[in-house]
Amino acid sequence: MKIDFSKKDLLFLAPLAGYTDLPFRQVVKNFGVDVTVSEMISSNALIYNSKKTKRMLLKAPNETPYIVQIAGNSEEIIKEAVLILNDIDGIDGIDLNCGCPVPKVVNHGSGSALLKDLPKMARLIETIKKHSNKRYLSVKSRLGFEEKIPKEIVKVVEQSGADWLTLHGRTRADKYKPDRIDYDAIADAKQVASIPIVANGDINSLQKYKEVKEITKADAVMIGRGAVGNPWIFYQIKNNLEVVKKDKIKEIILEHFNSMLEVYGDLGVSIFRKHLHTYSKGFAEASSFRDRVNRTDDSEVIRGYIEEFFG
Ligand SMILES: Cc1cc2nc3c(=O)[nH]c(=O)nc-3n(C[C@H](O)[C@H](O)[C@H](O)COP(=O)(O)O)c2cc1C
């Protein structure tokens, strides 16, 4: 399926390792997300532990277009990983992770470490371009490693053949510090870019979405943490709603629950409890709802509690 960057309110779900699992992606996709991305997959793991890693590539039937994100620092290994992905149907694009700040990844020369070596980053993007049989190639990056270099990043990414660039408005050194988010730097990138720019970082409300679009003039936005416990944010943005009605929230929660049971079987109930705790936050009587949910493993009983509590 084609990604139309001229579409108003084009929305991406950010990859959040440990959070954006298949059931979550399936639900947000049904309620407003245009593009979903897999959790980061190490190109090494894909090659050397292919069976286990391939499970991470599984997607929901409604996830089109579906982008798989890989990380790595070696052209040879990236090439091998791409060749493996080429044999898997249903993947519409490959995204190269150039933003991960985690020491384990950075010390290996991958993720945001690539922002210290733009020629290498270029070679890796070109390697994917050369060998991938997928429709799309994209890059997800921070603004720099320590210094902000958004314009340099755009140039490297577009000259190497990527179709779009997602920019998280922080450097690696900024970690996730709230006061460090810099949408002006994303706007600088957008100004010089000839490929679409997807703005990312701290978008957690309709208001914030509008503000970020206004400042950055980005072609699309990507939302991660703002959707955790709040997956209706996409529905809210798409429909320009100040408040999402409780009925819609209930519908989304029930769909998430059904999807968890489908994917995880009986285990889905216990995994879903933590989601219900978050979803009930801020509602009256939330603590007694949580108590009741904690005391049963029966999915039908829990469904009844959800119907009643969010009814
Ligand atoms: C727990 C967690 C896991 C993440 N996993 C990934 C990942 O696998 N790949 C990636 O490119 N970014 C990852 N990120 C970064 C997010 O995709 C996103 O760029 C960042 O959280 C800022 O956007 P947000 O404020 O909308 O969450 C992760 C962030 C968090 C907090």
Side-chain angles (χ1 to χ4, degrees):
M1 198 225 241
K2 189 171 181 300
I3 300 176
D4 179 4
F5 279 96
S6 67
K7 187 172 160 182
K8 187 174 171 280
D9 301 330
L10 186 70
L11 302 178
F12 285 60
L13 174 69
L16 292 182
Y19 290 90
T20 52
D21 61 357
L22 192 155
F24 190 81
R25 298 196 309 264
Q26 178 166 28
V27 172
V28 291
K29 178 74 191 185
N30 271 345
F31 292 95
V33 166
D34 296 286
V35 184
T36 47
V37 185
S38 77
E39 297 171 46
M40 179 179 85
I41 290 166
S42 140
S43 48
N44 267 293
L46 198 52
I47 295 172
Y48 298 115
N49 195 357
S50 199
K51 213 167 165 187
K52 181 171 161 233
T53 312
K54 274 184 184 163
R55 251 183 277 137
M56 288 175 70
L57 298 171
L58 290 178
K59 67 167 202 170
N62 66 347
E63 286 190 270
T64 20
Y66 178 57
I67 309 297
V68 165
Q69 187 189 65
I70 58 173
N73 81 331
S74 141
E75 287 158 69
E76 203 39 51
I77 291 174
I78 289 265
K79 176 186 160 187
E80 294 298 318
V82 168
L83 295 181
I84 291 173
L85 295 177
N86 280 351
D87 286 338
I88 303 173
D89 289 337
I91 297 172
D92 300 285
I94 298 178
D95 183 84
L96 179 66
N97 183 313
C98 299
C100 185
V102 175
K104 198 174 85 181
V105 175
V106 169
N107 294 340
H108 178 256
S110 306
S112 59
L114 294 171
L115 301 175
K116 292 191 290 186
D117 188 351
L118 295 185
K120 172 172 244 181
M121 180 171 152
R123 287 196 301 277
L124 296 181
I125 301 168
E126 284 159 8
T127 301
I128 302 173
K129 179 80 180 169
K130 184 168 170 199
H131 298 286
S132 166
N133 66 2
K134 307 299 180 194
R135 180 169 191 165
Y136 295 116
L137 162 58
S138 58
V139 171
K140 182 167 178 283
S141 179
R142 286 190 175 229
L143 296 173
F145 194 78
E146 269 160 356
E147 233 184 295
K148 290 179 190 170
I149 50 165
K151 291 180 185 172
E152 287 90 328
I153 294 171
V154 171
K155 287 298 150 203
V156 166
V157 169
E158 62 188 21
Q159 280 163 14
S160 311
D163 297 301
W164 70 87
L165 167 66
T166 304
L167 269 179
H168 173 191
R170 289 184 174 87
T171 63
R172 195 259 179 173
D174 292 336
K175 299 179 179 160
Y176 286 95
K177 290 177 186 160
D179 60 332
R180 296 290 176 85
I181 189 80
D182 184 353
Y183 299 122
D184 292 327
I186 301 179
D188 290 345
K190 171 63 191 164
Q191 253 186 355
V192 300
S194 59
I195 53 171
I197 299 292
V198 182
N200 169 242
D202 297 17
I203 300 167
N204 57 7
S205 66
L206 174 67
Q207 197 51 40
K208 193 69 176 274
Y209 165 75
K210 289 181 177 172
E211 193 185 310
V212 173
K213 282 284 278 195
E214 176 60 30
I215 298 172
T216 62
K217 307 281 188 291
D219 303 272
V221 308
M222 177 183 267
I223 300 177
R225 292 168 299 167
V228 175
N230 190 36
W232 37 89
I233 188 170
F234 300 104
Y235 177 83
Q236 189 173 14
I237 292 172
K238 282 280 176 183
N239 295 283
N240 195 28
L241 299 170
E242 288 300 333
V243 179
V244 181
K245 290 205 174 114
K246 224 174 164 192
D247 254 11
K248 185 55 73 177
I249 290 180
K250 181 174 81 177
E251 188 187 340
I252 293 173
I253 292 173
L254 282 173
E255 198 158 317
H256 191 187
F257 188 44
N258 291 340
S259 180
M260 289 291 274
L261 295 177
E262 230 173 77
V263 173
Y264 298 115
D266 288 344
L267 206 61
V269 171
S270 55
I271 307 174
F272 197 64
R273 264 198 203 101
K274 74 166 192 246
H275 291 286
L276 278 178
H277 286 202
T278 322
Y279 289 152
S280 59
K281 256 185 209 157
F283 285 94
E285 307 291 330
S287 69
S288 77
F289 170 71
R290 285 176 211 158
D291 270 355
R292 275 181 293 155
V293 166
N294 286 347
R295 271 190 262 109
T296 177
D297 284 322
D298 186 324
S299 60
E300 278 315 305
V301 173
I302 291 185
R303 184 172 285 115
Y305 289 158
I306 297 172
E307 296 265 11
E308 188 191 325
F309 184 75
F310 295 98

